[in-house]
Amino acid sequence: MKYSNTQLSWLVILRIAIGWHFLYEGMVKLMNPNWSSVGFLLDSNGFLESFFYSLSSDPSLVYLIDLLNIWGLILIGLGLILGFLARPACIFGIILLSMYYLSHPPFAGLRYAVPSEGSYLIINKTLIELIALAVLFVFPSSSFVGIDRFIFKK
Amino acid sequence: MIRRDLLKGLATVPVLGAFAYAWYKKRNYERYLKDNILEEIQLKATAPEVPSSGPMDKKIRLGLIGYGIRGKQLARAAGFAHPELIDSWIKSASENGSDNRYKEFLEQEDLNVVLNGVCDIFETYGHMAREAGANIFREGSGGKMGPAPKRYHNYQDLINAEDIDAVIIATPDHWHGPMAIAAAKAGKHIYVEKPMTWSVEESYEVRKAVRENNVVFQLGHQGRQTESYFKAKEAVDKGLLGKITLIEVTTNRNDPNGAWVYPIHEDANPNTIDWQQFIGQAPDHPFSLERFFRWRCWWDYSTGLSGDLLTHEFDAINQILGLGIPHAAVSSGGIYYFKDGRTVPDVLHTVYEYPHRGLSMVYSATLANNRKRGRVIMGHDASMELSSDLIIKADPRSTRYEAKIKEGIIDPALPLFTYSPGMQNVDAVTSPTEQYFAGRGLLYTHRGGKWVNTTHLHIKDWLNCIRNGGTTSCNIEQGFEEAIAAHMGTIAYKENRKVFWDADNERIV
């Protein structure tokens, strides 16, 4: 794939921005000894509600989910920022975001305890971030700008 | 070419430096705020000191009088649940994975007690109480059972039984006093449901009997075990609120059950209920299923909102502030919603005056609206909101926090201090989202802080004092204060006047 300099610049900026967000979300959770996914899981709504509820009922499972969340977010963030295994990072990011989205889908008639900072109907920022990762996946930039350049030699 | 590769390959690495710098700045600022606030308030959000208990090797032989709604809960808290209740828990847990009631009951500490006698004047409840008492292995129907306790038809026989050391009394209010007095005279330790008494006179007699016979007495305000109240006391003792002038406590309920319109059991009839024993010292009345099951609705057997719900609020505040008996009380209210023949009000407001402490306590209740109004202690420097969590907010016009509010270190709109039981939070200043969850009790159900039934802890506290000495957390003196305060509110309502406590002569005037 060939990009113009402008196209490549904006793809890298988008990648860094999403990476930064993931990294920060992960770090915040890592540094907070009280953080747990339980509250978020219990706040689930919509057609997968019972699935997310059941995840929250087993403490050892919750522990695993917390660990996967924290380190998933941090590693995906680093991967996107550094352009290191950026395409797998996109895939894992999409998986994580789809979990967040599906547990709290902004459908008409569903209400949440987690305060929302905007107004959403079906499309929310989680879904947009997810779509942006999909865009980054199909328009990879890390083999031009990023550590992947050393790995995936053209 | 290699240089170009390196530059492009590592072009985004400096972003991490920027991230680290931004992170560091943000953490520093937050730490600066927290340190400043902590320095000011000198209060940690770690779990408060709660009374510890001694060895439990001595088995205590219990008797239970009354196996109605509360009696069943108390038996459970002591370790005895009816097998059918366990069946329903198991069924419910199989349908809903997050229903942990049976699991939690199994985990409830064994208090090393045996239920040797039960007494209920309704046949069905009497039988059920035996079945619950036999269920020492905590199993469902058809499970392995222990020996069933003896069933008594008269409370006197249970109290006088040789094989009973201590009694739990969970009867209608008008029986609390006479049974507690009889138990004290028989040398039996007493756990009695609130309110301590139905009449003013009984309050003196219960106190006298307990003092003279040297029995361990616990009044059933299980709120005494609530962790956040211990923390609240710490905060008040440290003067974080400044001069306290007003306390607002409330009750809001909005369903028939909350208004004491309890279901009537299908087996109940004059043949299965010992009506004369129910009446006791109350005015005689023809047999009435409504009066038997919904006794709280009539002054004849009940103490109304004052005894049932105000007392919990009063005792919570008494625990934290040690207010004692108020100097004066006024009340107002009426029967405004439940026009079902009841004689006790469904809307009630009572104001207590403590001139020597320079404060008023306002209690306000309705049984026909569910708005949460909370429980707030208001001081010149801060307000404290109390539930299972504790939230202190600085007052915008506080003198003590004035400088820090001006500097932007303290924001009166945000909590100055929060305490949520079970949180391992050492720096107390929590994020709004955490607050949001904590307020709904969503966070700490499964991890960290394990939720324990306060009634269980309250019984445990009582048993501990029986075994190892010491004073119970809601002892006879505090029980006396509770009873007198409740009666003052009731008299003020019934006689429509301001009533006073003559502390020198210990009389309500």
Side-chain angles (χ1 to χ4, degrees), chain B residues 232-244:
Chain B
K233 186 165 164 43
E234 254 180 75
V236 168
D237 291 347
K238 285 210 154 85
L240 293 191
L241 308 188
K243 162 82 180 119
I244 296 164

Side-chain angles (χ1 to χ4, degrees), chain B residues 80-144:
Chain B
F80 307 97
H82 194 270
E84 280 169 21
L85 177 71
I86 289 183
D87 293 344
S88 75
W89 283 342
I90 293 172
K91 183 165 178 280
S92 171
S94 71
E95 288 161 1
N96 170 13
S98 59
D99 187 333
N100 285 326
R101 285 175 296 176
Y102 185 45
K103 191 167 152 264
E104 277 159 19
F105 180 66
L106 286 176
E107 285 167 3
Q108 181 178 290
E109 189 181 358
D110 184 342
L111 296 175
N112 194 20
V113 289
V114 57
L115 192 55
N116 270 351
V118 295
C119 175
D120 198 287
I121 55 171
F122 171 38
E123 286 298 316
T124 305
Y125 286 177
H127 287 302
M128 285 173 76
R130 286 194 78 216
E131 287 159 0
N135 193 9
I136 53 175
F137 303 108
R138 307 189 184 187
E139 295 197 357
S141 301
K144 190 177 158 199

Side-chain angles (χ1 to χ4, degrees), chain A residues 24 34 36 66 81 113 146 149, chain B residues 5 9 12 26 424 436 447:
Chain A
Y24 185 65
N34 290 306
S36 159
D66 288 357
I81 290 174
R149 190 183 175 96
Chain B
D5 269 349
T12 55
K26 188 169 193 290
Q424 308 302 313
Y436 215 87
R447 263 172 120 216

Side-chain angles (χ1 to χ4, degrees), chain B residues 311-328:
Chain B
T311 50
H312 273 313
E313 302 298 321
F314 173 87
D315 189 70
I317 300 300
N318 199 21
Q319 175 182 1
I320 294 160
L321 293 177
L323 290 177
I325 297 170
H327 169 67

Side-chain angles (χ1 to χ4, degrees), chain B residues 23 68 80 121 161 208 214 216 229 288 303 324 355 419 436 480 492:
Chain B
W23 172 267
F80 307 97
I121 55 171
K208 185 163 172 273
N214 221 8
V216 177
Y229 296 179
S288 157
T303 47
Y419 176 67
Y436 215 87
F480 183 76

Side-chain angles (χ1 to χ4, degrees), chain A residues 5 8 12 15-16 20 23-24 27-28 31-40 42-43 53 56-59 62-63 66 78 81-83 112-115 144-147 149-150 153-154, chain B residues 1-2 4-13 15-16 18-20 22-23 26-27 30 96-98 100 103 422-426 430-434 436-437 440 442-447:
Chain A
N5 277 345
L8 183 61
V12 172
R15 208 184 75 207
I16 290 173
W20 182 293
L23 180 60
Y24 185 65
M27 290 292 284
V28 163
M31 301 307 280
N32 180 354
N34 290 306
W35 181 79
S36 159
S37 56
V38 164
F40 190 76
L42 284 178
D43 193 37
Y53 260 68
S56 75
S57 61
D58 179 354
V62 167
Y63 180 76
D66 288 357
L78 287 172
I81 290 174
L82 295 175
Y112 301 98
V114 187
F144 301 100
V145 177
I147 292 172
R149 190 183 175 96
F150 308 127
K153 292 255 184 199
K154 290 157 288 175
Chain B
M1 210 49 194
I2 288 171
R4 214 176 94 107
D5 269 349
L6 262 184
L7 273 178
K8 287 204 164 180
L10 302 175
T12 55
V13 174
V15 172
L16 284 186
F19 182 91
W23 172 267
K26 188 169 193 290
R27 295 280 293 184
E30 285 167 353
N96 170 13
S98 59
N100 285 326
K103 191 167 152 264
M423 271 194 105
Q424 308 302 313
N425 197 338
V426 284
T430 43
S431 74
T433 318
E434 275 179 302
Y436 215 87
F437 282 135
R440 284 159 177 72
L442 276 173
L443 261 188
Y444 316 108
T445 339
H446 299 272
R447 263 172 120 216

Side-chain angles (χ1 to χ4, degrees), chain B residues 295-349:
Chain B
W295 55 267
R296 280 194 208 276
C297 299
W298 287 273
W299 290 121
D300 288 353
Y301 328 102
S302 159
T303 47
L305 273 164
S306 311
D308 189 34
L309 297 166
L310 178 154
T311 50
H312 273 313
E313 302 298 321
F314 173 87
D315 189 70
I317 300 300
N318 199 21
Q319 175 182 1
I320 294 160
L321 293 177
L323 290 177
I325 297 170
H327 169 67
V330 289
S331 292
S332 99
I335 304 167
Y336 295 146
Y337 188 84
F338 288 93
K339 310 278 188 190
D340 52 5
R342 67 179 61 201
T343 54
V344 302
D346 53 19
V347 173
L348 178 75
H349 320 285

